[in-house]
Amino acid sequence: MTFGRSRAASVVLNVGGARYSLSRELLKDFPLRRVSRLHGCRSERDVLEVCDDYDRERNEYFFDRHSEAFGFILLYVRGHGKLRFAPRMCELSFYNEMIYWGLEGAHLEYCCQRRLDDRMSDTYTFYSADEPGALGRDEARPGGAEAAPSRRWLERMRRTFEEPTSSLAAQILASVSVVFVIVSMVVLCASTLPDWRAAAADNRSLDDRSRIIEAICIGWFTAECIVRFIVSKNKCEFVKRPLNIIDLLAITPYYISVLMTVFTGENSQLQRAGVTLRVLRMMRIFWVIKLARHFIGLQTLGLTLKRCYREMVMLLVFICVAMAIFSALSQLLEHGLDLETSNKDFASIPAACWWVIISMTTVGYGDMYPITMPGRILGGVCVVSGIVLLALPITFIYHSFVQCYHELKFRSARYSRSLSAEFLN
């Protein structure tokens, strides 16, 4: 640092009127990215790009930000607690302060993350570290000018493969991926038709062509997955993402089945290997879930299930409790009271559970039904109870679905605006 009092051993941070004294060595490796950038500034002009004002005489940096929020953030980075929202402060405002100082939503406690997600969904607000201009902020960091071209290229590649609406190239790539998914699904479904199997047995070239099409689709999915892994920022986080796990589940069975075919062949006498091969080939149905990467509807469904897992568990608990009660009562009324005229369909409680779950979900296959008057009354109560129990948590799940849909739609519109600007430029 070549400006101000270069001999001073400490600097002063003035955040909204609250002053903090830090040593220069601590400033160099400070956990907050905006504060650590001060150490690399070479002129007062560089300093004013990081903070709002600078006092040369006092060697004081002024930030026109929320002082209480910075106090909470400073306690967190110094290891004196976990990061939670400041009392009497809007969640979005506090999160805005976090982004300003260089933190992300992952640093918050889990309970605060849920509050933030709910608030963002309510206001259709979406913050991201990948906002347009993030590269410009990174380039302002020390040493950012030299690494900017490679980082910019990696960022564009990552957005091209991760965000289908981020650019024209991303839309073309997404369209090609959707075509490959559809082709692979059509081939998979056609291969199970009896006419197809008979034609493939008579004409070996038909089976060979279907295998070639399957290999081309798998090759495309494998190349896409490898490239996305290479350009990802965090390799461990990439492996943990649900959509990437689905990609692995869709790709891996093909290579396993190929290896098993090479080592064991298609010999019908190898029953265990034959069953395994059929199971592995049928796991290609996971390819259809890859469409979730390109369609907001499927993304909304996945995000809703992720956020409403408590409500889903509560729904399953309701059904299980009601199923246990009604199945025991129905078995007693239909089979346990009068053994001579008993209903053989309700011979056991597990058998009655099937009738209860079908009745509660109002499907009513009619394969088994009560024949006694008390059993029919119980069946009516079971149907009405199923309607009520299913309706109770559905309201929460519905509102969460609407919020998730608007949030993802907002993000898609934001990237569409980026695409329009790129096309105009």
Side-chain angles (χ1 to χ4, degrees):
M1 194 177 295
T2 59
F3 59 92
R5 296 183 178 181
S6 57
R7 296 181 181 179
S10 62
V11 297
V12 178
L13 303 181
N14 188 331
V15 182
R19 290 181 171 85
Y20 304 90
S21 180
L22 301 175
S23 64
R24 291 189 179 276
E25 293 300 324
L26 183 61
L27 185 69
K28 179 180 179 181
D29 300 321
F30 202 75
L32 296 180
R33 187 164 60 240
R34 182 171 289 272
V35 177
S36 62
R37 282 169 54 186
L38 292 173
H39 188 273
C41 296
R42 295 292 181 266
S43 64
E44 187 170 342
R45 181 180 178 181
D46 296 339
V47 172
L48 294 178
E49 292 180 357
V50 179
C51 61
D52 296 298
D53 199 4
Y54 171 66
D55 190 338
R56 183 185 296 271
E57 297 299 325
R58 298 180 179 179
N59 198 26
E60 182 175 318
Y61 305 91
F62 176 73
F63 297 87
D64 189 14
R65 309 300 299 186
H66 198 284
S67 59
E68 186 177 1
F70 181 76
F72 274 74
I73 294 174
L74 192 61
L75 288 175
Y76 167 71
V77 298
R78 286 180 172 176
H80 297 303
K82 298 180 180 179
L83 185 57
R84 296 184 176 89
F85 290 126
R88 301 178 301 278
M89 185 175 180
C90 174
E91 292 87 352
L92 298 180
S93 299
F94 188 86
Y95 188 49
N96 191 25
E97 295 292 323
M98 292 172 53
I99 294 177
Y100 177 83
W101 293 109
L103 297 180
E104 299 177 355
H107 294 91
L108 283 169
E109 277 287 278
Y110 179 73
C111 58
C112 294
Q113 289 183 22
R114 287 187 59 86
R115 285 175 53 190
L116 180 62
D117 291 340
D118 294 340
R119 190 60 185 271
M120 285 182 177
S121 300
D122 291 339
T123 57
Y124 307 151
T125 305
F126 185 81
Y127 292 91
S128 175
D130 302 329
E131 290 283 351
L135 286 175
R137 292 194 297 268
D138 291 339
E139 291 170 6
R141 295 165 64 182
E146 295 79 1
S150 60
R151 185 161 58 247
R152 189 183 301 113
W153 179 82
L154 287 175
E155 181 67 18
R156 287 182 178 177
M157 287 289 293
R158 189 189 64 80
R159 287 195 178 188
T160 300
F161 282 88
E162 296 289 348
E163 297 292 343
T165 59
S166 62
S167 65
L168 184 60
Q171 288 190 350
I172 295 174
L173 188 67
S175 301
V176 174
S177 296
V178 170
V179 170
F180 274 106
V181 171
I182 294 175
V183 170
S184 62
M185 287 295 98
V186 170
V187 173
L188 175 62
C189 296
S191 63
T192 59
L193 294 173
D195 296 339
W196 177 284
R197 291 198 297 266
D202 296 336
N203 187 3
R204 187 64 181 177
S205 61
L206 179 62
D207 187 50
D208 293 337
R209 283 196 294 268
S210 64
R211 291 179 183 273
I212 291 174
I213 294 174
E214 180 184 0
I216 293 175
C217 295
I218 284 291
W220 171 266
F221 297 147
T222 305
E224 182 184 11
C225 189
I226 292 175
V227 173
R228 290 176 51 251
F229 177 77
I230 293 174
V231 300
S232 63
K233 291 182 179 180
N234 190 333
K235 302 298 187 293
C236 296
E237 183 181 353
F238 176 87
V239 176
K240 295 178 182 178
R241 291 178 183 174
L243 286 178
N244 297 330
I245 295 175
I246 292 173
D247 288 344
L248 292 177
L249 290 177
I251 294 172
T252 305
Y254 174 80
Y255 294 103
I256 296 177
S257 62
V258 169
L259 292 176
M260 292 187 65
T261 303
V262 170
F263 289 109
T264 64
E266 296 282 355
N267 192 346
S268 59
Q269 295 180 356
L270 300 176
Q271 294 295 330
R272 296 181 60 186
V275 172
T276 304
L277 287 175
R278 289 193 292 271
V279 171
L280 291 174
R281 288 175 179 174
M282 195 53 61
M283 286 182 66
R284 289 177 294 175
I285 199 65
F286 283 109
W287 290 349
V288 75
I289 307 180
K290 289 172 63 66
L291 295 175
R293 197 181 299 279
H294 312 295
F295 293 98
I296 294 181
L298 293 176
Q299 295 177 15
T300 304
L301 177 61
L303 187 58
T304 303
L305 294 177
K306 178 181 178 181
R307 292 185 177 178
C308 296
Y309 71 91
R310 289 190 178 90
E311 289 78 7
M312 298 296 294
V313 172
M314 181 172 59
L315 179 61
L316 292 177
V317 170
F318 287 170
I319 294 176
C320 291
V321 171
M323 187 168 59
I325 295 174
F326 285 113
S327 61
L329 292 177
S330 62
Q331 194 274 339
L332 176 64
L333 295 176
E334 291 292 313
H335 187 79
L337 296 180
D338 190 354
L339 298 179
E340 295 181 358
T341 61
S342 61
N343 192 342
K344 300 301 182 183
D345 292 334
F346 293 81
S348 64
I349 291 180
C353 285
W354 168 251
W355 171 78
V356 171
I357 190 65
I358 293 301
S359 300
M360 290 183 65
T361 53
T362 67
V363 177
Y365 286 132
D367 55 343
M368 55 187 298
Y369 49 87
I371 58 176
T372 63
M373 183 57 65
R376 291 177 178 178
I377 296 175
L378 180 67
V381 175
C382 178
V383 172
V384 174
S385 301
I387 295 174
V388 174
L389 292 178
L390 291 175
L392 290 177
I394 290 298
T395 304
F396 299 100
I397 299 174
Y398 166 75
H399 285 297
S400 180
F401 181 86
V402 173
Q403 293 171 359
C404 293
Y405 174 74
H406 284 292
E407 179 180 330
L408 293 175
K409 191 175 181 180
F410 182 89
R411 182 174 65 176
S412 178
R414 178 171 60 86
Y415 280 113
S416 297
R417 290 194 296 269
S418 303
L419 173 61
S420 301
E422 178 182 345
F423 181 76
L424 292 175
N425 292 332

